[in-house]
Amino acid sequence: MKLLQYVFIIVVFLYLLLSTQCLAENVIVNQFKFDPLGAMKELAEVIDILNSKQSTHPDVHLNITQLVEKYGYPVQEYKVTTEDGYVLTMFRIEKKGPPVLLMHGILLSADDWVIAGPDDGLAYILASSGYDVWMGNARGNKYSRQHESISPEDSKFWEFSWNEIGVNDLPAMIDFVLETTSEKQLAYIGHSQGTTSFFVMCSEKPEYNQKISIMIALAPIAAIPNAKSPLARILAPYHYYANVLVKLFKIHEVLPMPVEYQYMENPVCEIGNGIICSTVLFMFTGFDYEQINQTNLPVIFSHTPSGSSAQQFIHYLQIINSGVFRKFDYGDNKNQAIYGSSKPPKYRLELVKAPVALFYSENDWFSDVEDVTNLQNKLPNVKEMYLVPFKKFNHADFLWAKDVKRLVYARITDVLKDSKSMKTI
Ligand SMILES: *[C@@H]1O[C@H](CO)[C@@H](O)[C@H](O)[C@H]1NC(C)=O
Ligand SMILES: *[C@@H]1O[C@H](CO)[C@@H](O)[C@H](O)[C@H]1NC(C)=O
């Protein structure tokens, strides 16, 4: 595991060098003012922190169930098996109210919804407003690395992208929630890949539209030809080679950080007001210093990342490159065998008939405003377009920003209330 950590750090620093925007924007200019005495002090502080090897934030060492209990909510854990044999973990903060299913993005997990803390975590906000909160985990993340017959050590386990998460995982979890609660419908809130997989589900299994009272999409992603993330832009034209490399070097699983590794001491995020960790986060999601909660960074980074399959990334690179929201591209011959056409078929967004609310922002390096507007035009039942009223708001701010409650979650609870009058068409 040590090796993986070093590889990750090297990749991140190469990326830092490549991404000129980050050099220009904030990191060096604003955060490091050249001041030799100050630098010595900083260095001493860094050494101190590394020597003490203890994060000072108590939540760093707590897992999701411990966190939820610490903040005074009941929490339950469930196992849900998909049609194709993956065993997924769901967490629930049970309340006598309408069920809401929260679905995380790529490399992330149910932790997303609680690690912002008791005041700002969406799971807590919804539970205290009386919703029965369910948090899903996609196949392959740290909570869902299990299958009835295939071991995660076997490359076969990892042969899925967000297509399979949409076609198999979401329906299994939705059916489980509706059966357990004896309800006919639930509200769905997804972030990033949690929205992509939802659009996949409703276009591939349109009968699921009926089971959704409202879908709230945070940083929605379908066709994203205008995604700005430098890493994605650099890699997208080479998605075919990325696929070959993955097969050659058997890199099927990306940044897994197994559970025992997750809760290590993590002082790195406490160095220099979290400069290292915030920069890593910004390089992937867009720069927004104002909204980063430095105190909370160690908690985020001790619970994130949580693992994904390499194919999930490759599938995103493919759609950035093609500009088309379509199924996984296996190459012309295999496409012909699987789809009956040399190019992968498009997802049919016109079949997403459940009511949808799109929440988006201007500094999101993945969900570009233009792409979200195009998505709005393709979806037949958009009830709400909400542009976050903060210019620098980025892709991850939807989960962890300092003002996320005021800027985003207040509107979510309003939309949930209004959704009583909305219908699937
Ligand atoms: C969290 O940790 C506690 C105590 O070690 C353990 O009982 C529980 O199963 C863990 N929960 C998860 C989701 O890993
Ligand atoms: C920052 O996070 C900490 C928890 O780690 C929380 O107590 C604090 O209220 C947060 N600050 C803001 C401004 O959200």
Side-chain angles (χ1 to χ4, degrees), residues 63-66 77 91 143 259 263:
N63 67 28
I64 184 170
T65 46
Q66 293 167 322
E77 185 176 335
F91 298 102
Y143 296 121
V259 177
Y263 305 106

Side-chain angles (χ1 to χ4, degrees), residues 262-328:
Q262 285 276 324
Y263 305 106
M264 62 172 197
E265 294 87 340
N266 196 350
V268 177
C269 289
E270 289 170 21
I271 295 170
N273 279 335
I275 175 113
I276 297 176
C277 293
S278 57
T279 304
V280 170
L281 191 63
F282 292 155
M283 282 189 308
F284 291 95
T285 59
F287 281 82
D288 183 7
Y289 275 102
E290 269 172 80
Q291 287 296 334
I292 201 90
N293 182 343
Q294 279 138 349
T295 329
N296 208 39
L297 270 174
V299 185
I300 294 173
F301 274 84
S302 58
H303 293 84
T304 309
S306 305
S308 289
S309 85
Q311 274 193 34
Q312 284 164 252
F313 284 93
I314 291 170
H315 200 173
Y316 273 132
L317 293 180
Q318 291 177 350
I319 63 167
I320 290 172
N321 195 50
S322 68
V324 184
F325 186 43
R326 61 186 187 186
K327 294 189 190 181
F328 196 84

Side-chain angles (χ1 to χ4, degrees), residues 26-61:
N26 279 309
V27 182
I28 288 169
V29 186
N30 287 348
Q31 294 279 315
F32 278 130
K33 290 179 196 96
F34 255 133
D35 161 18
L37 265 181
M40 297 269 283
K41 251 174 79 187
E42 291 256 327
L43 190 66
E45 196 184 307
V46 168
I47 291 168
D48 227 33
I49 292 170
L50 287 175
N51 278 338
S52 70
K53 285 206 187 70
Q54 275 285 333
S55 173
T56 47
H57 199 305
D59 290 0
V60 163
H61 309 282

Side-chain angles (χ1 to χ4, degrees), residues 131-159:
Y131 291 95
D132 186 10
V133 180
W134 292 77
M135 293 171 268
N137 285 290
R139 58 184 60 197
N141 88 1
K142 63 186 177 192
Y143 296 121
S144 298
R145 257 175 122 265
Q146 204 188 333
H147 188 279
E148 284 179 325
S149 57
I150 310 170
S151 153
E153 308 306 319
D154 185 341
S155 67
K156 253 188 102 56
F157 180 94
W158 299 100
E159 286 176 7

Side-chain angles (χ1 to χ4, degrees), residues 67-369:
L67 282 174
V68 176
E69 278 167 3
K70 172 177 169 182
Y71 292 115
Y73 295 84
V75 59
Q76 284 159 278
E77 185 176 335
Y78 298 90
K79 297 287 178 197
V80 179
T81 305
T82 67
E83 238 171 47
D84 55 349
Y86 286 83
V87 182
L88 314 175
T89 303
M90 296 189 79
F91 298 102
R92 176 190 192 186
I93 303 177
E94 186 176 351
K95 293 274 160 175
K96 282 202 172 43
V100 180
L101 172 59
L102 306 180
M103 197 58 197
H104 63 83
I106 195 166
L107 274 183
L108 300 176
S109 75
D111 294 355
D112 290 8
W113 312 107
V114 305
I115 55 183
D119 296 329
D120 296 329
L122 183 59
Y124 300 127
I125 291 172
L126 294 175
S128 57
S129 315
Y131 291 95
D132 186 10
V133 180
W134 292 77
M135 293 171 268
N137 285 290
R139 58 184 60 197
N141 88 1
K142 63 186 177 192
Y143 296 121
S144 298
R145 257 175 122 265
Q146 204 188 333
H147 188 279
E148 284 179 325
S149 57
I150 310 170
S151 153
E153 308 306 319
D154 185 341
S155 67
K156 253 188 102 56
F157 180 94
W158 299 100
E159 286 176 7
F160 62 83
S161 77
W162 34 260
N163 179 73
E164 285 68 23
I165 294 170
V167 172
N168 297 308
D169 294 359
L170 296 188
M173 291 192 281
I174 289 170
D175 286 337
F176 184 81
V177 172
L178 296 181
E179 264 165 44
T180 311
T181 56
S182 311
E183 294 277 343
K184 289 206 167 58
Q185 286 193 320
L186 55 75
Y188 180 102
I189 302 176
H191 172 241
S192 187
Q193 180 191 265
T195 72
T196 315
S197 49
F198 180 90
F199 298 135
V200 169
M201 172 182 77
C202 288
S203 70
E204 294 295 297
K205 290 191 165 166
E207 64 275 20
Y208 277 84
N209 280 293
Q210 297 295 338
K211 304 187 183 193
I212 307 298
S213 57
I214 176 78
M215 185 282 197
I216 298 176
L218 307 178
I221 296 192
I224 44 168
N226 296 305
K228 286 198 198 73
S229 173
L231 186 63
R233 290 249 70 96
I234 291 164
L235 291 178
Y238 306 106
H239 65 83
Y240 175 75
Y241 301 100
N243 205 5
V244 171
L245 284 178
V246 162
K247 294 229 165 72
L248 203 62
F249 291 103
K250 301 196 189 309
I251 320 163
H252 303 287
E253 184 178 14
V254 183
L255 295 175
M257 307 277 172
V259 177
E260 69 270 21
Y261 195 66
Q262 285 276 324
Y263 305 106
M264 62 172 197
E265 294 87 340
N266 196 350
V268 177
C269 289
E270 289 170 21
I271 295 170
N273 279 335
I275 175 113
I276 297 176
C277 293
S278 57
T279 304
V280 170
L281 191 63
F282 292 155
M283 282 189 308
F284 291 95
T285 59
F287 281 82
D288 183 7
Y289 275 102
E290 269 172 80
Q291 287 296 334
I292 201 90
N293 182 343
Q294 279 138 349
T295 329
N296 208 39
L297 270 174
V299 185
I300 294 173
F301 274 84
S302 58
H303 293 84
T304 309
S306 305
S308 289
S309 85
Q311 274 193 34
Q312 284 164 252
F313 284 93
I314 291 170
H315 200 173
Y316 273 132
L317 293 180
Q318 291 177 350
I319 63 167
I320 290 172
N321 195 50
S322 68
V324 184
F325 186 43
R326 61 186 187 186
K327 294 189 190 181
F328 196 84
D329 189 347
Y330 295 95
D332 288 2
N333 290 338
K334 200 169 167 194
N335 286 343
Q336 193 70 45
I338 293 174
Y339 306 126
S341 59
S342 63
K343 294 280 166 264
K346 286 186 195 176
Y347 294 107
R348 291 177 297 165
L349 287 171
E350 67 275 17
L351 297 181
V352 182
K353 295 190 172 166
V356 172
L358 302 176
F359 282 47
Y360 59 111
S361 63
E362 284 167 289
N363 184 36
D364 186 328
W365 281 4
F366 292 98
S367 318
D368 190 81
V369 171

Side-chain angles (χ1 to χ4, degrees), residues 396-414:
D397 283 337
F398 286 92
L399 303 172
W400 305 315
K402 272 186 192 160
D403 297 325
V404 68
K405 191 173 172 179
R406 175 173 64 81
L407 290 172
V408 181
Y409 297 163
R411 190 73 204 120
I412 288 185
T413 42
D414 287 348

